[in-house]
Amino acid sequence: MKRVTLLVLLIAFVCAAGMLFASGAPTAEKEAKPAAVKEDVIKIGVLMNLTGPWASIDGPAWNSVQLAVKDINDAGGILGKKVDAICIDTKADEAETVSAAVRLCETENVNAVIGYCDTHWVLTAAPIVREYGIPFITPGATHPRIPERSGAWLACFSDAAQASIVAEYAYKEKGLRTVSVWIDNACDFSVACCAFFEDAFKHFGGKVVYEDYFETDWTDYSALVTRLKSRQNETDFVYVGAIPGNIGIIVKQIREGGITMPIYSEDGADTPLLAEVAGRHAEGVIITSHMTLESKEPNVVKYIKGYNAMHGKNPENAFAALGYDATMLVAEAIKKIGSAEPKKISAGLSLIKELKGVTGTISYPAGMQVPNKTVALLESKGGKFLLIKNAAPVYMPPKEIAK
């Protein structure tokens, strides 16, 4: 995921779309055309990268948005209105993302937007959607500074929370004292998660031996493997800031390089691609995520059954369930505020307390757009992610650590 300065993108967009705005689109805070073209329908716009490196998490999230919409409509809709969802595949492309965000607001007249499971893409799209006074909810982008930078709401925990949980577990429960950290310096999510992890690990008493760096689209990590192998006598484990598209090959190359130390990662590793690409080398990898699909909780079992009935397979990962929960958050906000008017939905979101979701109970503290949620600590075994424990962090790294 290459960093692209949002300002540059927006300037390019304004130049390309100048005629559109000159012909009557509002300036200052833009107002989407009233969603009264079909007054009996509440429209949810969805932005996802259904192709590219994030497809294995965004695709399942979109599948679950569809399931949630079906469940809502089967139960009578919201405020007596049917719900529709329209999804645009932005193909991990910034220009596509900008265009799609404008289309949902200008042409599709949506009431709310649900989008992406990665920070970079939320920070590209959400500021545009905010200009139209339309709420943006991300199922799985976890950077804690998303709200202040884009106005978006999170349906998930923050990177600070998940980093603290895995750091505490490694130090206190596994007795690990030294770590090497692999950072994707072209990925906002990886940079932030690794910064939070390092802060938390040091807080608990651990030592960061060294950092190493890679980029999202690399396929050869042999140089990093060689450096790690040369320092394995100093290092108890390695923490990898990965995304779904590269976690499998990274784990595979570490193990094939003869390194046996524990491998820890974050929710970007919660993908079937870990086991599919790394094979037997995926065994024992420790990650943080949002839930385990092996849960026997009644609402989880019901959700999995519904997903299977609609899509002919079980949910692939926790990001699927986050798509469901994000849609239910929109529905609950509309119910609480008694209106589907876009500007009022955000007020409804702020009222949500103790909403029981598939990924846990969701509450927004006063003035916050990141919910209080527990973190699931998982271990990869036999191609599945098995629950070690659910926990809330005892130490929360300051969000200002993340750039």
Side-chain angles (χ1 to χ4, degrees):
M1 176 170 57
K2 294 182 170 58
R3 283 203 187 100
V4 177
T5 304
L6 181 59
L7 179 60
V8 175
L9 287 172
L10 292 179
I11 289 172
F13 161 70
V14 168
C15 292
M19 291 299 293
L20 172 64
F21 292 128
S23 65
T27 56
E29 183 183 86
K30 305 172 184 65
E31 292 186 7
K33 300 170 187 175
V37 177
K38 294 174 69 178
E39 291 185 346
D40 58 331
V41 174
I42 295 170
K43 292 184 74 173
I44 298 175
V46 182
L47 297 172
M48 294 290 177
N49 290 316
L50 302 181
T51 51
W54 289 270
S56 71
I57 56 177
D58 278 7
W62 164 233
N63 287 345
S64 287
V65 170
Q66 297 172 76
L67 175 60
V69 166
K70 177 184 181 299
D71 287 349
I72 291 167
N73 287 333
D74 286 351
I78 309 172
L79 304 181
K81 298 179 181 180
K82 180 184 175 183
V83 178
D84 280 347
I86 176 171
C87 182
I88 302 175
D89 176 13
T90 54
K91 305 171 185 176
D93 179 271
E94 278 83 5
E96 293 275 358
T97 299
V98 171
S99 175
V102 173
R103 173 184 158 189
L104 289 180
C105 299
E106 285 280 347
T107 305
E108 302 297 341
N109 306 314
V110 298
N111 301 79
V113 175
I114 293 172
Y116 303 117
C117 294
D118 178 78
T119 295
H120 176 82
W121 303 102
V122 173
L123 292 178
T124 303
I128 298 169
V129 174
R130 175 173 58 181
E131 288 297 305
Y132 292 86
I134 296 172
F136 191 109
I137 302 92
T138 169
T142 44
H143 199 300
R145 304 189 75 175
I146 283 173
E148 68 187 75
R149 293 175 175 175
S150 72
W153 294 74
L154 275 63
C156 51
F157 54 60
S158 76
D159 289 327
Q162 66 169 325
S164 183
I165 288 295
V166 75
E168 182 183 9
Y169 175 76
Y171 188 86
K172 290 186 176 181
E173 298 189 34
K174 303 304 289 185
L176 304 176
R177 296 293 182 261
T178 58
V179 65
S180 296
V181 181
W182 285 19
I183 305 168
D184 182 345
N185 60 9
C187 176
D188 299 324
F189 160 70
S190 177
V191 171
C193 224
C194 291
F196 289 129
F197 170 79
E198 289 187 16
D199 176 79
F201 194 61
K202 292 174 184 176
H203 170 83
F204 292 116
K207 176 186 176 182
V208 177
V209 177
Y210 77 102
E211 296 177 344
D212 215 338
Y213 305 94
F214 62 96
E215 293 191 6
T216 307
D217 56 358
W218 285 13
T219 56
D220 182 359
Y221 299 89
S222 58
L224 283 81
V225 171
T226 298
R227 285 191 287 272
L228 182 59
K229 192 170 185 177
S230 71
R231 304 191 70 171
Q232 59 185 332
N233 290 336
E234 307 169 63
T235 304
D236 291 338
F237 71 114
V238 59
Y239 182 83
V240 181
I243 67 162
N246 58 30
I247 183 61
I249 192 168
I250 289 173
V251 169
K252 185 173 188 286
Q253 290 186 19
I254 288 174
R255 291 291 184 248
E256 288 182 344
I259 298 170
T260 60
M261 71 177 65
I263 301 172
Y264 283 52
S265 193
E266 18 62 1
D267 65 329
D270 186 358
T271 169
L273 293 174
L274 173 58
E276 289 172 12
V277 175
R280 61 185 176 84
H281 299 308
E283 290 294 299
V285 173
I286 303 293
I287 71 167
T288 43
S289 194
H290 307 268
M291 63 171 298
T292 173
L293 292 167
E294 304 305 310
S295 172
K296 302 305 178 187
E297 287 287 325
N299 65 324
V300 176
V301 173
K302 179 183 177 183
Y303 157 74
I304 292 173
K305 182 178 179 181
Y307 190 101
N308 193 297
M310 173 174 275
H311 300 293
K313 57 185 176 181
N314 286 342
E316 294 87 342
N317 48 36
F319 292 96
L322 285 169
Y324 190 93
D325 283 353
T327 311
M328 290 304 184
L329 280 169
V330 174
E332 183 70 8
I334 293 171
K335 292 174 187 176
K336 282 192 172 292
I337 208 68
S339 171
E341 184 180 333
K343 290 182 180 179
K344 292 184 179 180
I345 295 175
S346 286
L349 286 165
S350 69
L351 299 175
I352 292 176
K353 306 293 180 187
E354 302 297 314
L355 177 66
K356 188 171 178 59
V358 179
T359 61
T361 301
I362 305 171
S363 297
Y364 290 104
M368 302 284 288
Q369 292 173 224
V370 180
N372 282 335
K373 294 179 75 176
T374 58
V375 178
L377 193 65
L378 308 177
E379 182 175 4
S380 176
K381 285 189 175 182
K384 298 179 180 180
F385 289 109
L386 303 184
L387 182 68
I388 298 171
K389 65 176 182 176
N390 285 306
V394 298
Y395 167 72
M396 187 71 80
K399 67 179 182 179
E400 290 76 19
I401 289 174
K403 296 179 180 179

